Amino acid sequence: MNDLLYLQDTFGISGVEFKELAPCYPVIYIVNGFSDACIALHGAHVMSFTPKSHEPLLWLSDAAIYREGKAIRGGIPICWPWFGDHPDNCLPAHGFARNQFWQLVSIVENIEKETVVTLTLSDSEMSRAIWPHKFTLEVTIAVGKSLSVSLKTVNKDEKPFSITSALHSYLNVGDIQKTEVFGLANVFYRDKLSNDQVFMQTGSLHFDRELDRIYGHSGDDEIRVSDSTNTREIVVGKSGSQSTVIWNPWIDKSSKMTDFEEGGYRHMLCVEAANTCDCNIVVEPGESHTLATIISEADKAL
Ligand code: BG6
């Protein structure tokens, strides 16, 4: 039920408001003591997250399209049950979880006074036609000083299934050319722009062209993004993830995407907690796997 009155009556708590971005396309606006956020029921998609009196931590395209079946450009799309292109190219890139409405289960305030939103998605006739497995996905989003997103996959089938996935976070940076990424030195990566050749990262990452890489990085070290134009450091932690994807489409590629605002590549950087095809996850019947990311702004030294 995506009716606004029903949603507000059933799930509304202090600081939570439902609005429609398009007819029958509800989003949850959250304002609490730490931050504000917006979450779409479509894709269980965190669209924005802004700590109080700070710049937004997530980038959202001004040209994003709010329509069932189309993933929102920006925020945190959930890529599942496959990451990237499907081998049979007729199926949607990055899976189907980001392209449909999820079921809102609850909105509560936890003991730390964060607002916690839970949504689920289960298999349907449509999903089984393209991915023949029974599953439940549960996403838990905690909006506080930091933003944490946790995606639990439960196998409801009688046989194991295998997934790849990503929490495809679009970080908001002041100027990509003045942005630097730390925490990936000496990590091997597969370069999607060089026929998937494998290289080792030396030092930090700087950006002056398109970049699309999958790092074999399990997250023991946090990724730190120096957003020098906004005089801050964004910290990305993760768990249940064997790879980190770093992506910026730069000028040519972004200008070909109708939902990518002009010049938007300058203000975004994707740092994605993922499990890509190098490390697909097998989930046994009745078992589960959880992929999570936590995004925050580092405290400034006094
Ligand atoms: C990244 C991939 O995760 O997502 C890129 O590494 C891809 O290759 C990008 O272009 C965006 O994908 P989409 O389907 O949202 O345009």
Side-chain angles (χ1 to χ4, degrees):
M1 283 281 281
N2 285 345
D3 173 72
L4 284 191
L5 274 179
Y6 166 80
L7 290 169
Q8 193 71 46
D9 279 357
T10 315
F11 300 103
I13 58 168
S14 161
V16 169
E17 212 182 320
F18 290 86
K19 291 187 185 160
E20 273 184 341
L21 290 185
C24 302
Y25 198 105
V27 296
I28 312 165
Y29 280 99
I30 296 168
V31 181
N32 61 28
F34 307 104
S35 54
D36 56 71
C38 177
I39 299 165
L41 270 57
H42 188 266
H45 197 127
V46 181
M47 293 169 54
S48 67
F49 171 69
T50 309
K52 278 229 174 319
S53 316
H54 287 241
E55 290 298 311
L57 277 186
L58 299 178
W59 177 86
L60 177 66
S61 171
D62 279 350
I65 295 165
Y66 302 111
R67 189 182 65 218
E68 186 170 11
K70 169 81 185 143
I72 299 166
R73 179 68 62 194
I76 311 186
I78 294 177
C79 306
W80 190 97
W82 58 86
F83 171 84
D85 293 332
H86 190 275
D88 314 340
N89 263 326
C90 54
L91 292 177
H94 288 325
F96 52 79
R98 64 176 185 163
N99 293 340
Q100 55 182 296
F101 285 102
W102 289 47
Q103 187 84 38
L104 181 57
V105 174
S106 64
I107 305 180
V108 295
E109 184 181 278
N110 68 10
I111 197 156
E112 279 103 30
K113 306 257 180 233
E114 298 174 320
T115 310
V116 182
V117 179
T118 304
L119 301 111
T120 58
L121 182 73
S122 296
D123 56 284
S124 62
E125 214 171 296
M126 182 284 290
S127 75
R128 288 189 299 272
I130 57 177
W131 197 71
H133 304 286
K134 292 191 198 137
F135 66 87
T136 302
L137 281 184
E138 183 179 275
V139 113
T140 308
I141 302 159
V143 176
K145 189 170 177 229
S146 55
L147 170 73
S148 85
V149 180
S150 147
L151 174 70
K152 182 178 178 190
T153 302
V154 185
N155 184 343
K156 296 275 193 183
D157 227 332
E158 284 84 49
K159 50 189 189 306
F161 60 59
S162 163
I163 51 170
T164 54
S165 56
L167 299 169
H168 192 309
S169 309
Y170 285 76
L171 303 182
N172 176 47
V173 295
D175 180 348
I176 187 68
Q177 305 220 44
K178 295 185 183 138
T179 299
E180 201 172 345
V181 172
F182 299 92
L184 291 169
N186 304 324
V187 175
F188 284 103
Y189 65 87
R190 196 175 281 288
D191 190 345
K192 288 176 90 176
L193 304 178
S194 301
N195 289 323
D196 281 340
Q197 282 185 80
V198 175
F199 302 95
M200 188 197 265
Q201 177 67 38
T202 48
S204 59
L205 279 93
H206 297 262
F207 303 88
D208 60 1
R209 69 197 70 175
E210 181 184 356
L211 187 134
D212 193 352
R213 297 178 180 173
I214 298 174
Y215 285 82
H217 173 256
S218 59
D220 296 336
D221 295 324
E222 290 168 330
I223 308 277
R224 304 181 82 86
V225 178
S226 164
D227 175 16
S228 60
T229 309
N230 287 322
T231 58
R232 67 177 178 182
E233 195 172 54
I234 303 172
V235 184
V236 181
K238 56 176 202 155
S239 60
S241 156
Q242 298 299 315
S243 27
T244 299
V245 179
I246 308 282
W247 179 62
N248 183 297
W250 219 254
I251 302 165
D252 283 357
K253 192 160 189 187
S254 64
S255 62
K256 290 187 188 113
M257 298 182 211
T258 50
D259 58 352
F260 215 104
E261 78 190 50
E262 203 187 329
Y265 79 93
R266 288 197 205 100
H267 305 297
M268 53 71 61
L269 177 67
C270 287
V271 177
E272 309 168 34
N275 288 301
T276 59
C277 54
D278 286 334
C279 47
N280 57 323
I281 302 289
V282 176
V283 189
E284 299 293 332
E287 302 284 312
S288 68
H289 173 266
T290 300
L291 169 68
T293 191
I294 178 156
I295 300 173
S296 60
E297 202 173 293
D299 288 328
K300 292 214 167 82
L302 294 174

